Structure formats: structure tokens, C-alpha cells
Amino acid sequence: MKSRNWVRLFLSTLLIGAVSTIIVGFAVKWNEYKDLFLASDIIEILLVVLWLIGVGFIFSIISQMGFFAYLTIHRFGLGLFKRVWNPVQIVLIAFVFFDLVYFRYQFFGKEGDSITPYLIIAIVILIFGLIIAYIKSKQTNKGAFIPALFFMYVVSIVEWMPAIQVNENSWFYLMLFPLLICNAYQLLILHKILNKKS
């Protein structure tokens, strides 16, 4: 990838991270922020927006670090495992799915709590990953499906670990959605950038 294209990818992902975090931030913390809008407190609203932009930049950088780390791991996996790399990735996806449900429930579930909410979030992320992987495979080739799903599911959850460990609802969702959006954007735009002649 040419440095000019890498800079475009970096800056556009930063922008997407910031915008998505602003939207998600106001959505998940609306009860805290609605009074600012009702009072038309422009200064406070701008301060919140600036804070969310900064947080969005951090989420975007985490996403980009995960993306480039995965590109390296993927090449390493292809070299080491060759034809069984895709089955290895499927096993890892299943392992991470189980861990996300079971260990979160063990650590944060209270006596009498249902496992269903823990299962739902894992399934929702998996469905989103399947959709993005399907789009990626349609845009490129069928062989891209499993690597794309692995990135969207496993890498996204690894990037999301700080919020999982805190287990506070507003941070939980505030970090998840921008990460998924940034990861999906990078995955779907990469082949277009690589195919650019300039």
C-alpha cells in the first residue's frame, strides 16, 4: 500500500470513529445529556462532543492497530497452517464465542440471572460479522469469507476487552459499536484502496 493511501485510510477511519462515537455516545447516555439539549447549553454540548471525538479517535486507533495486527497474523497463519488455516480460524471463532458468553456470565452474572442477555450480545456481534464477511466475499472472492468473519468477530472482541472487563453498560456499548463500524469500514475498503493506481 502506498503511503498516501495508508494516510487516507488512517484519517478516514479516524473520522468514522469520531462520528460513530458521537452518535453512540449521545444514544447510550441520553438520560445524562438530554438536559443539556433542553437547556440549550451550547458550551456544555460542545464540550461533550469534543470529549466524544477524543474517545472516538482512541477507539479508531485501537481498531486500526487490531486491523494491521490481524493482517500480519493472517499472513503468518497462511504460512504456518497453509490449507488448515481456515478451519483453525473457525475453531477460534467458536472458542471466542463460548468464552464471551460463558466467562462473562461466570464473572458478572448474579445468582438467578439468565444467561440469555450474555448469549444475545455474542449472537448479535456474530450476525453482524457474518453480514460484513458476506459483503466482503461478494466484493472480492469466496475465500475472503472466513478471514473476514474471524477479523470481525475475534479481533473485534479482543479490541473490546477493556470495556468487557469494566462491564459498565454505557462503556460497554459506547466502545462496541464504533469498533465494529471502524473494523467493518477498514475491511470493506481495503481492497478498493489496494486496487487504486494512485
Short mmCIF file of all heavy atoms in Angstrom, two decimals, residues 52-113:
data_model
loop_
_atom_site.label_atom_id
_atom_site.label_comp_id
_atom_site.label_asym_id
_atom_site.label_seq_id
_atom_site.Cartn_x
_atom_site.Cartn_y
_atom_site.Cartn_z
N LEU A 52 -16.26 13.22 23.24
CA LEU A 52 -16.63 12.03 22.47
C LEU A 52 -15.74 11.87 21.22
O LEU A 52 -15.41 10.75 20.84
CB LEU A 52 -18.10 12.07 22.07
CG LEU A 52 -19.10 11.85 23.22
CD1 LEU A 52 -20.53 12.14 22.75
CD2 LEU A 52 -19.00 10.44 23.77
N ILE A 53 -15.37 12.99 20.60
CA ILE A 53 -14.45 12.94 19.46
C ILE A 53 -13.11 12.33 19.89
O ILE A 53 -12.56 11.45 19.22
CB ILE A 53 -14.24 14.33 18.83
CG1 ILE A 53 -15.50 14.76 18.07
CG2 ILE A 53 -13.03 14.35 17.90
CD1 ILE A 53 -15.49 16.21 17.61
N GLY A 54 -12.59 12.80 21.03
CA GLY A 54 -11.33 12.26 21.54
C GLY A 54 -11.43 10.76 21.83
O GLY A 54 -10.54 9.99 21.46
N VAL A 55 -12.52 10.35 22.46
CA VAL A 55 -12.74 8.94 22.75
C VAL A 55 -12.86 8.15 21.45
O VAL A 55 -12.32 7.05 21.30
CB VAL A 55 -14.00 8.75 23.63
CG1 VAL A 55 -14.37 7.28 23.77
CG2 VAL A 55 -13.78 9.36 25.02
N GLY A 56 -13.58 8.74 20.47
CA GLY A 56 -13.73 8.09 19.16
C GLY A 56 -12.40 7.91 18.44
O GLY A 56 -12.18 6.88 17.79
N PHE A 57 -11.51 8.90 18.56
CA PHE A 57 -10.17 8.77 17.98
C PHE A 57 -9.43 7.58 18.62
O PHE A 57 -8.76 6.81 17.93
CB PHE A 57 -9.36 10.05 18.18
CG PHE A 57 -9.74 11.18 17.27
CD1 PHE A 57 -9.31 12.47 17.54
CD2 PHE A 57 -10.53 10.99 16.15
CE1 PHE A 57 -9.65 13.53 16.70
CE2 PHE A 57 -10.87 12.03 15.30
CZ PHE A 57 -10.43 13.31 15.59
N ILE A 58 -9.56 7.44 19.94
CA ILE A 58 -8.90 6.33 20.64
C ILE A 58 -9.45 5.00 20.14
O ILE A 58 -8.70 4.08 19.83
CB ILE A 58 -9.06 6.47 22.16
CG1 ILE A 58 -8.28 7.69 22.66
CG2 ILE A 58 -8.60 5.20 22.88
CD1 ILE A 58 -8.60 8.09 24.08
N PHE A 59 -10.79 4.90 20.06
CA PHE A 59 -11.40 3.66 19.57
C PHE A 59 -10.95 3.35 18.14
O PHE A 59 -10.69 2.20 17.80
CB PHE A 59 -12.93 3.75 19.62
CG PHE A 59 -13.51 3.85 21.00
CD1 PHE A 59 -14.81 4.29 21.19
CD2 PHE A 59 -12.78 3.49 22.12
CE1 PHE A 59 -15.36 4.36 22.46
CE2 PHE A 59 -13.32 3.56 23.40
CZ PHE A 59 -14.62 4.01 23.57
N SER A 60 -10.86 4.39 17.33
CA SER A 60 -10.44 4.22 15.94
C SER A 60 -9.01 3.71 15.86
O SER A 60 -8.69 2.82 15.06
CB SER A 60 -10.56 5.55 15.19
OG SER A 60 -9.95 5.47 13.93
N ILE A 61 -8.13 4.25 16.70
CA ILE A 61 -6.74 3.81 16.70
C ILE A 61 -6.62 2.37 17.18
O ILE A 61 -5.85 1.58 16.62
CB ILE A 61 -5.87 4.78 17.54
CG1 ILE A 61 -5.75 6.12 16.79
CG2 ILE A 61 -4.48 4.20 17.81
CD1 ILE A 61 -5.19 7.25 17.60
N ILE A 62 -7.41 2.00 18.20
CA ILE A 62 -7.44 0.61 18.66
C ILE A 62 -7.88 -0.30 17.51
O ILE A 62 -7.29 -1.35 17.27
CB ILE A 62 -8.38 0.45 19.88
CG1 ILE A 62 -7.79 1.15 21.10
CG2 ILE A 62 -8.64 -1.03 20.18
CD1 ILE A 62 -8.74 1.27 22.28
N SER A 63 -8.91 0.14 16.79
CA SER A 63 -9.42 -0.63 15.65
C SER A 63 -8.35 -0.80 14.58
O SER A 63 -8.16 -1.89 14.04
CB SER A 63 -10.65 0.07 15.06
OG SER A 63 -11.01 -0.47 13.82
N GLN A 64 -7.64 0.28 14.27
CA GLN A 64 -6.61 0.22 13.23
C GLN A 64 -5.43 -0.64 13.66
O GLN A 64 -4.87 -1.38 12.84
CB GLN A 64 -6.15 1.64 12.88
CG GLN A 64 -7.26 2.44 12.21
CD GLN A 64 -6.80 3.79 11.72
OE1 GLN A 64 -5.93 3.87 10.87
NE2 GLN A 64 -7.38 4.86 12.24
N MET A 65 -5.07 -0.58 14.93
CA MET A 65 -4.00 -1.45 15.43
C MET A 65 -4.40 -2.91 15.29
O MET A 65 -3.61 -3.75 14.86
CB MET A 65 -3.70 -1.11 16.90
CG MET A 65 -2.96 0.20 17.09
SD MET A 65 -2.89 0.72 18.82
CE MET A 65 -2.11 -0.69 19.59
N GLY A 66 -5.67 -3.21 15.66
CA GLY A 66 -6.17 -4.57 15.53
C GLY A 66 -6.20 -5.04 14.09
O GLY A 66 -5.88 -6.20 13.79
N PHE A 67 -6.57 -4.14 13.19
CA PHE A 67 -6.67 -4.49 11.77
C PHE A 67 -5.30 -4.84 11.19
O PHE A 67 -5.14 -5.88 10.54
CB PHE A 67 -7.29 -3.32 11.00
CG PHE A 67 -7.53 -3.61 9.55
CD1 PHE A 67 -8.35 -4.65 9.16
CD2 PHE A 67 -6.94 -2.83 8.57
CE1 PHE A 67 -8.58 -4.92 7.81
CE2 PHE A 67 -7.17 -3.09 7.22
CZ PHE A 67 -7.99 -4.13 6.85
N PHE A 68 -4.32 -4.00 11.45
CA PHE A 68 -2.99 -4.27 10.90
C PHE A 68 -2.32 -5.46 11.61
O PHE A 68 -1.55 -6.19 10.98
CB PHE A 68 -2.13 -3.01 10.93
CG PHE A 68 -2.52 -2.04 9.86
CD1 PHE A 68 -3.28 -0.91 10.15
CD2 PHE A 68 -2.17 -2.25 8.54
CE1 PHE A 68 -3.67 -0.03 9.15
CE2 PHE A 68 -2.56 -1.38 7.52
CZ PHE A 68 -3.31 -0.27 7.84
N ALA A 69 -2.64 -5.65 12.89
CA ALA A 69 -2.14 -6.84 13.58
C ALA A 69 -2.74 -8.09 12.95
O ALA A 69 -2.03 -9.09 12.72
CB ALA A 69 -2.49 -6.78 15.07
N TYR A 70 -4.04 -8.04 12.62
CA TYR A 70 -4.66 -9.21 12.01
C TYR A 70 -4.08 -9.49 10.62
O TYR A 70 -3.87 -10.66 10.26
CB TYR A 70 -6.18 -9.07 11.89
CG TYR A 70 -6.74 -10.24 11.11
CD1 TYR A 70 -6.70 -11.52 11.66
CD2 TYR A 70 -7.19 -10.09 9.80
CE1 TYR A 70 -7.15 -12.62 10.93
CE2 TYR A 70 -7.63 -11.18 9.08
CZ TYR A 70 -7.61 -12.44 9.65
OH TYR A 70 -8.03 -13.53 8.92
N LEU A 71 -3.82 -8.46 9.84
CA LEU A 71 -3.22 -8.68 8.51
C LEU A 71 -1.90 -9.43 8.64
O LEU A 71 -1.59 -10.32 7.84
CB LEU A 71 -3.02 -7.34 7.78
CG LEU A 71 -4.29 -6.59 7.37
CD1 LEU A 71 -3.93 -5.25 6.73
CD2 LEU A 71 -5.14 -7.42 6.41
N THR A 72 -1.13 -9.08 9.67
CA THR A 72 0.14 -9.77 9.92
C THR A 72 -0.10 -11.22 10.36
O THR A 72 0.52 -12.15 9.86
CB THR A 72 0.95 -9.01 11.01
OG1 THR A 72 1.13 -7.67 10.58
CG2 THR A 72 2.31 -9.67 11.24
N ILE A 73 -1.03 -11.38 11.32
CA ILE A 73 -1.35 -12.73 11.84
C ILE A 73 -1.89 -13.61 10.71
O ILE A 73 -1.56 -14.80 10.63
CB ILE A 73 -2.37 -12.63 12.99
CG1 ILE A 73 -1.71 -12.00 14.21
CG2 ILE A 73 -2.95 -14.00 13.34
CD1 ILE A 73 -2.68 -11.56 15.27
N HIS A 74 -2.71 -13.03 9.83
CA HIS A 74 -3.30 -13.80 8.73
C HIS A 74 -2.20 -14.33 7.80
O HIS A 74 -2.23 -15.50 7.39
CB HIS A 74 -4.28 -12.92 7.96
CG HIS A 74 -4.96 -13.63 6.84
ND1 HIS A 74 -5.80 -14.71 7.04
CD2 HIS A 74 -4.94 -13.43 5.49
CE1 HIS A 74 -6.26 -15.15 5.88
NE2 HIS A 74 -5.75 -14.38 4.92
N ARG A 75 -1.24 -13.48 7.47
CA ARG A 75 -0.13 -13.93 6.62
C ARG A 75 0.68 -15.02 7.31
O ARG A 75 1.08 -16.01 6.70
CB ARG A 75 0.79 -12.74 6.27
CG ARG A 75 0.24 -11.82 5.24
CD ARG A 75 0.29 -12.47 3.87
NE ARG A 75 -0.85 -12.02 3.09
CZ ARG A 75 -1.41 -12.67 2.12
NH1 ARG A 75 -0.97 -13.86 1.77
NH2 ARG A 75 -2.42 -12.18 1.45
N PHE A 76 0.92 -14.82 8.60
CA PHE A 76 1.66 -15.81 9.40
C PHE A 76 0.87 -17.13 9.44
O PHE A 76 1.45 -18.21 9.27
CB PHE A 76 1.88 -15.27 10.81
CG PHE A 76 2.60 -16.22 11.72
CD1 PHE A 76 3.97 -16.42 11.62
CD2 PHE A 76 1.90 -16.92 12.70
CE1 PHE A 76 4.63 -17.31 12.45
CE2 PHE A 76 2.55 -17.80 13.55
CZ PHE A 76 3.92 -17.99 13.42
N GLY A 77 -0.44 -17.05 9.64
CA GLY A 77 -1.29 -18.24 9.69
C GLY A 77 -1.30 -19.00 8.39
O GLY A 77 -1.25 -20.23 8.37
N LEU A 78 -1.37 -18.26 7.28
CA LEU A 78 -1.33 -18.90 5.96
C LEU A 78 -0.01 -19.63 5.74
O LEU A 78 0.01 -20.73 5.17
CB LEU A 78 -1.53 -17.85 4.86
CG LEU A 78 -2.95 -17.32 4.66
CD1 LEU A 78 -2.94 -16.14 3.68
CD2 LEU A 78 -3.89 -18.41 4.16
N GLY A 79 1.08 -19.02 6.20
CA GLY A 79 2.38 -19.66 6.03
C GLY A 79 2.56 -20.87 6.93
O GLY A 79 3.13 -21.88 6.52
N LEU A 80 2.05 -20.78 8.17
CA LEU A 80 2.25 -21.86 9.15
C LEU A 80 1.27 -23.01 8.96
O LEU A 80 1.64 -24.17 8.95
CB LEU A 80 2.12 -21.28 10.56
CG LEU A 80 2.38 -22.24 11.72
CD1 LEU A 80 3.84 -22.72 11.72
CD2 LEU A 80 2.06 -21.57 13.04
N PHE A 81 -0.03 -22.67 8.81
CA PHE A 81 -1.07 -23.71 8.76
C PHE A 81 -1.48 -24.09 7.33
O PHE A 81 -2.14 -25.10 7.13
CB PHE A 81 -2.31 -23.25 9.54
CG PHE A 81 -2.05 -23.07 11.00
CD1 PHE A 81 -1.91 -21.81 11.55
CD2 PHE A 81 -1.96 -24.17 11.83
CE1 PHE A 81 -1.69 -21.64 12.90
CE2 PHE A 81 -1.74 -24.02 13.19
CZ PHE A 81 -1.60 -22.75 13.74
N LYS A 82 -1.16 -23.23 6.38
CA LYS A 82 -1.49 -23.44 4.97
C LYS A 82 -2.99 -23.74 4.78
O LYS A 82 -3.80 -22.90 5.10
CB LYS A 82 -0.61 -24.54 4.37
CG LYS A 82 0.88 -24.22 4.46
CD LYS A 82 1.71 -25.15 3.67
CE LYS A 82 3.20 -24.94 3.84
NZ LYS A 82 3.71 -23.62 3.99
N ARG A 83 -3.35 -24.91 4.30
CA ARG A 83 -4.75 -25.21 3.96
C ARG A 83 -5.66 -25.32 5.18
O ARG A 83 -6.87 -25.21 5.05
CB ARG A 83 -4.84 -26.50 3.15
CG ARG A 83 -4.23 -26.37 1.77
CD ARG A 83 -4.36 -27.64 0.99
NE ARG A 83 -3.71 -27.53 -0.31
CZ ARG A 83 -3.54 -28.52 -1.13
NH1 ARG A 83 -3.98 -29.73 -0.83
NH2 ARG A 83 -2.94 -28.34 -2.30
N VAL A 84 -5.09 -25.59 6.34
CA VAL A 84 -5.94 -25.74 7.53
C VAL A 84 -6.13 -24.42 8.29
O VAL A 84 -6.74 -24.41 9.35
CB VAL A 84 -5.40 -26.84 8.49
CG1 VAL A 84 -5.45 -28.19 7.84
CG2 VAL A 84 -4.01 -26.50 8.99
N TRP A 85 -5.62 -23.32 7.73
CA TRP A 85 -5.76 -22.02 8.40
C TRP A 85 -7.22 -21.63 8.55
O TRP A 85 -7.63 -21.12 9.60
CB TRP A 85 -4.96 -20.95 7.66
CG TRP A 85 -5.08 -19.55 8.20
CD1 TRP A 85 -5.36 -18.43 7.48
CD2 TRP A 85 -4.91 -19.11 9.56
NE1 TRP A 85 -5.38 -17.32 8.30
CE2 TRP A 85 -5.11 -17.71 9.59
CE3 TRP A 85 -4.63 -19.76 10.76
CZ2 TRP A 85 -5.02 -16.96 10.75
CZ3 TRP A 85 -4.55 -19.00 11.94
CH2 TRP A 85 -4.74 -17.62 11.91
N ASN A 86 -8.04 -21.85 7.53
CA ASN A 86 -9.47 -21.52 7.64
C ASN A 86 -10.17 -22.35 8.73
O ASN A 86 -10.89 -21.78 9.55
CB ASN A 86 -10.18 -21.66 6.30
CG ASN A 86 -10.01 -20.41 5.44
OD1 ASN A 86 -9.53 -19.39 5.90
ND2 ASN A 86 -10.40 -20.51 4.19
N PRO A 87 -9.98 -23.68 8.77
CA PRO A 87 -10.56 -24.45 9.88
C PRO A 87 -10.07 -23.99 11.26
O PRO A 87 -10.84 -23.97 12.22
CB PRO A 87 -10.14 -25.88 9.59
CG PRO A 87 -9.97 -25.93 8.10
CD PRO A 87 -9.45 -24.58 7.73
N VAL A 88 -8.80 -23.61 11.34
CA VAL A 88 -8.26 -23.10 12.61
C VAL A 88 -9.01 -21.84 13.02
O VAL A 88 -9.38 -21.66 14.20
CB VAL A 88 -6.74 -22.83 12.50
CG1 VAL A 88 -6.23 -22.00 13.67
CG2 VAL A 88 -5.97 -24.14 12.40
N GLN A 89 -9.26 -20.96 12.05
CA GLN A 89 -9.98 -19.72 12.35
C GLN A 89 -11.42 -20.01 12.81
O GLN A 89 -11.93 -19.35 13.72
CB GLN A 89 -9.99 -18.80 11.13
CG GLN A 89 -8.63 -18.19 10.82
CD GLN A 89 -8.66 -17.30 9.62
OE1 GLN A 89 -8.78 -16.09 9.74
NE2 GLN A 89 -8.58 -17.89 8.44
N ILE A 90 -12.07 -20.99 12.19
CA ILE A 90 -13.44 -21.36 12.59
C ILE A 90 -13.45 -21.87 14.04
O ILE A 90 -14.33 -21.49 14.83
CB ILE A 90 -14.02 -22.43 11.63
CG1 ILE A 90 -14.24 -21.82 10.25
CG2 ILE A 90 -15.32 -23.00 12.18
CD1 ILE A 90 -14.56 -22.84 9.17
N VAL A 91 -12.47 -22.70 14.40
CA VAL A 91 -12.36 -23.20 15.77
C VAL A 91 -12.15 -22.03 16.74
O VAL A 91 -12.77 -21.98 17.82
CB VAL A 91 -11.21 -24.22 15.89
CG1 VAL A 91 -10.91 -24.55 17.35
CG2 VAL A 91 -11.55 -25.49 15.12
N LEU A 92 -11.31 -21.08 16.37
CA LEU A 92 -11.06 -19.92 17.23
C LEU A 92 -12.30 -19.05 17.38
O LEU A 92 -12.56 -18.51 18.47
CB LEU A 92 -9.88 -19.10 16.69
CG LEU A 92 -8.51 -19.77 16.82
CD1 LEU A 92 -7.45 -18.95 16.08
CD2 LEU A 92 -8.11 -19.95 18.28
N ILE A 93 -13.07 -18.90 16.31
CA ILE A 93 -14.33 -18.15 16.38
C ILE A 93 -15.28 -18.81 17.38
O ILE A 93 -15.86 -18.14 18.24
CB ILE A 93 -15.00 -18.03 14.99
CG1 ILE A 93 -14.18 -17.12 14.07
CG2 ILE A 93 -16.44 -17.50 15.12
CD1 ILE A 93 -14.55 -17.22 12.60
N ALA A 94 -15.41 -20.14 17.28
CA ALA A 94 -16.28 -20.88 18.20
C ALA A 94 -15.78 -20.75 19.64
O ALA A 94 -16.58 -20.56 20.57
CB ALA A 94 -16.35 -22.35 17.79
N PHE A 95 -14.47 -20.83 19.83
CA PHE A 95 -13.87 -20.72 21.15
C PHE A 95 -14.14 -19.34 21.77
O PHE A 95 -14.53 -19.23 22.93
CB PHE A 95 -12.36 -20.97 21.04
CG PHE A 95 -11.63 -20.94 22.34
CD1 PHE A 95 -11.73 -21.99 23.23
CD2 PHE A 95 -10.83 -19.85 22.66
CE1 PHE A 95 -11.05 -21.96 24.45
CE2 PHE A 95 -10.15 -19.81 23.87
CZ PHE A 95 -10.26 -20.87 24.77
N VAL A 96 -13.96 -18.28 20.98
CA VAL A 96 -14.19 -16.92 21.46
C VAL A 96 -15.68 -16.70 21.74
O VAL A 96 -16.04 -16.05 22.74
CB VAL A 96 -13.65 -15.88 20.46
CG1 VAL A 96 -14.10 -14.47 20.81
CG2 VAL A 96 -12.13 -15.95 20.42
N PHE A 97 -16.55 -17.25 20.91
CA PHE A 97 -18.00 -17.16 21.15
C PHE A 97 -18.34 -17.77 22.51
O PHE A 97 -19.04 -17.16 23.33
CB PHE A 97 -18.78 -17.87 20.05
CG PHE A 97 -20.27 -17.80 20.19
CD1 PHE A 97 -20.98 -16.76 19.61
CD2 PHE A 97 -20.97 -18.75 20.93
CE1 PHE A 97 -22.36 -16.67 19.74
CE2 PHE A 97 -22.34 -18.67 21.07
CZ PHE A 97 -23.03 -17.64 20.48
N PHE A 98 -17.83 -18.98 22.76
CA PHE A 98 -18.08 -19.65 24.03
C PHE A 98 -17.55 -18.83 25.20
O PHE A 98 -18.23 -18.63 26.21
CB PHE A 98 -17.45 -21.05 24.02
CG PHE A 98 -17.53 -21.74 25.34
CD1 PHE A 98 -18.70 -22.40 25.72
CD2 PHE A 98 -16.44 -21.74 26.21
CE1 PHE A 98 -18.79 -23.05 26.95
CE2 PHE A 98 -16.52 -22.39 27.44
CZ PHE A 98 -17.69 -23.04 27.81
N ASP A 99 -16.31 -18.35 25.07
CA ASP A 99 -15.69 -17.56 26.14
C ASP A 99 -16.48 -16.29 26.43
O ASP A 99 -16.65 -15.92 27.59
CB ASP A 99 -14.25 -17.19 25.77
CG ASP A 99 -13.30 -18.36 25.94
OD1 ASP A 99 -13.76 -19.44 26.39
OD2 ASP A 99 -12.10 -18.21 25.62
N LEU A 100 -16.91 -15.61 25.38
CA LEU A 100 -17.63 -14.36 25.55
C LEU A 100 -18.92 -14.57 26.35
O LEU A 100 -19.28 -13.76 27.19
CB LEU A 100 -17.96 -13.73 24.19
CG LEU A 100 -18.66 -12.37 24.22
CD1 LEU A 100 -17.81 -11.31 24.92
CD2 LEU A 100 -19.01 -11.90 22.82
N VAL A 101 -19.59 -15.67 26.09
CA VAL A 101 -20.84 -15.97 26.80
C VAL A 101 -20.55 -16.52 28.19
O VAL A 101 -21.00 -15.98 29.21
CB VAL A 101 -21.72 -16.97 26.01
CG1 VAL A 101 -22.96 -17.35 26.80
CG2 VAL A 101 -22.10 -16.39 24.66
N TYR A 102 -19.79 -17.61 28.24
CA TYR A 102 -19.62 -18.36 29.49
C TYR A 102 -18.85 -17.56 30.54
O TYR A 102 -19.30 -17.44 31.69
CB TYR A 102 -18.91 -19.69 29.21
CG TYR A 102 -18.68 -20.51 30.45
CD1 TYR A 102 -19.74 -21.20 31.04
CD2 TYR A 102 -17.41 -20.58 31.04
CE1 TYR A 102 -19.52 -21.96 32.20
CE2 TYR A 102 -17.19 -21.32 32.18
CZ TYR A 102 -18.25 -22.01 32.76
OH TYR A 102 -18.05 -22.74 33.90
N PHE A 103 -17.68 -17.02 30.17
CA PHE A 103 -16.86 -16.35 31.18
C PHE A 103 -17.47 -15.03 31.64
O PHE A 103 -17.36 -14.67 32.81
CB PHE A 103 -15.42 -16.17 30.68
CG PHE A 103 -14.66 -17.45 30.66
CD1 PHE A 103 -14.21 -18.01 29.47
CD2 PHE A 103 -14.39 -18.14 31.84
CE1 PHE A 103 -13.52 -19.21 29.46
CE2 PHE A 103 -13.70 -19.34 31.85
CZ PHE A 103 -13.26 -19.87 30.65
N ARG A 104 -18.13 -14.30 30.73
CA ARG A 104 -18.81 -13.08 31.18
C ARG A 104 -19.92 -13.43 32.16
O ARG A 104 -20.12 -12.74 33.16
CB ARG A 104 -19.41 -12.33 29.97
CG ARG A 104 -18.41 -11.47 29.24
CD ARG A 104 -19.11 -10.51 28.28
NE ARG A 104 -19.94 -9.57 28.99
CZ ARG A 104 -21.23 -9.37 28.76
NH1 ARG A 104 -21.87 -10.06 27.82
NH2 ARG A 104 -21.91 -8.49 29.44
N TYR A 105 -20.63 -14.50 31.87
CA TYR A 105 -21.70 -14.93 32.77
C TYR A 105 -21.13 -15.37 34.12
O TYR A 105 -21.68 -15.03 35.18
CB TYR A 105 -22.50 -16.07 32.14
CG TYR A 105 -23.63 -16.57 32.99
CD1 TYR A 105 -24.76 -15.78 33.20
CD2 TYR A 105 -23.58 -17.84 33.57
CE1 TYR A 105 -25.81 -16.23 33.98
CE2 TYR A 105 -24.63 -18.30 34.36
CZ TYR A 105 -25.74 -17.50 34.56
OH TYR A 105 -26.77 -17.94 35.34
N GLN A 106 -20.01 -16.09 34.11
CA GLN A 106 -19.39 -16.55 35.35
C GLN A 106 -18.88 -15.38 36.19
O GLN A 106 -19.03 -15.37 37.41
CB GLN A 106 -18.23 -17.50 35.04
CG GLN A 106 -18.66 -18.86 34.53
CD GLN A 106 -19.48 -19.63 35.54
OE1 GLN A 106 -19.11 -19.76 36.70
NE2 GLN A 106 -20.62 -20.14 35.11
N PHE A 107 -18.28 -14.38 35.54
CA PHE A 107 -17.69 -13.25 36.26
C PHE A 107 -18.72 -12.23 36.70
O PHE A 107 -18.63 -11.68 37.80
CB PHE A 107 -16.60 -12.57 35.42
CG PHE A 107 -15.31 -13.32 35.36
CD1 PHE A 107 -14.82 -13.81 34.15
CD2 PHE A 107 -14.57 -13.57 36.51
CE1 PHE A 107 -13.63 -14.51 34.10
CE2 PHE A 107 -13.37 -14.27 36.47
CZ PHE A 107 -12.90 -14.75 35.25
N PHE A 108 -19.69 -11.94 35.84
CA PHE A 108 -20.58 -10.81 36.10
C PHE A 108 -22.03 -11.20 36.39
O PHE A 108 -22.80 -10.38 36.88
CB PHE A 108 -20.55 -9.83 34.92
CG PHE A 108 -19.16 -9.33 34.61
CD1 PHE A 108 -18.55 -9.62 33.40
CD2 PHE A 108 -18.45 -8.58 35.53
CE1 PHE A 108 -17.27 -9.17 33.11
CE2 PHE A 108 -17.17 -8.12 35.26
CZ PHE A 108 -16.58 -8.41 34.04
N GLY A 109 -22.40 -12.43 36.09
CA GLY A 109 -23.76 -12.86 36.36
C GLY A 109 -24.00 -13.05 37.85
O GLY A 109 -23.12 -13.54 38.58
N LYS A 110 -25.16 -12.63 38.30
CA LYS A 110 -25.52 -12.82 39.70
C LYS A 110 -26.39 -14.06 39.83
O LYS A 110 -26.93 -14.55 38.84
CB LYS A 110 -26.26 -11.58 40.22
CG LYS A 110 -25.39 -10.33 40.20
CD LYS A 110 -26.19 -9.11 40.57
CE LYS A 110 -25.31 -7.86 40.46
NZ LYS A 110 -26.07 -6.62 40.67
N GLU A 111 -26.51 -14.53 41.05
CA GLU A 111 -27.30 -15.74 41.29
C GLU A 111 -28.74 -15.53 40.83
O GLU A 111 -29.38 -14.53 41.17
CB GLU A 111 -27.29 -16.09 42.78
CG GLU A 111 -27.84 -17.46 43.07
CD GLU A 111 -27.70 -17.84 44.53
OE1 GLU A 111 -26.89 -17.23 45.24
OE2 GLU A 111 -28.43 -18.75 44.95
N GLY A 112 -29.20 -16.43 39.99
CA GLY A 112 -30.56 -16.33 39.46
C GLY A 112 -30.64 -15.60 38.12
O GLY A 112 -31.70 -15.57 37.50
N ASP A 113 -29.53 -14.96 37.69
CA ASP A 113 -29.52 -14.28 36.40
C ASP A 113 -29.62 -15.28 35.26
O ASP A 113 -29.08 -16.38 35.34
CB ASP A 113 -28.22 -13.47 36.22
CG ASP A 113 -28.25 -12.14 36.93
OD1 ASP A 113 -29.29 -11.82 37.54
OD2 ASP A 113 -27.23 -11.42 36.89
#
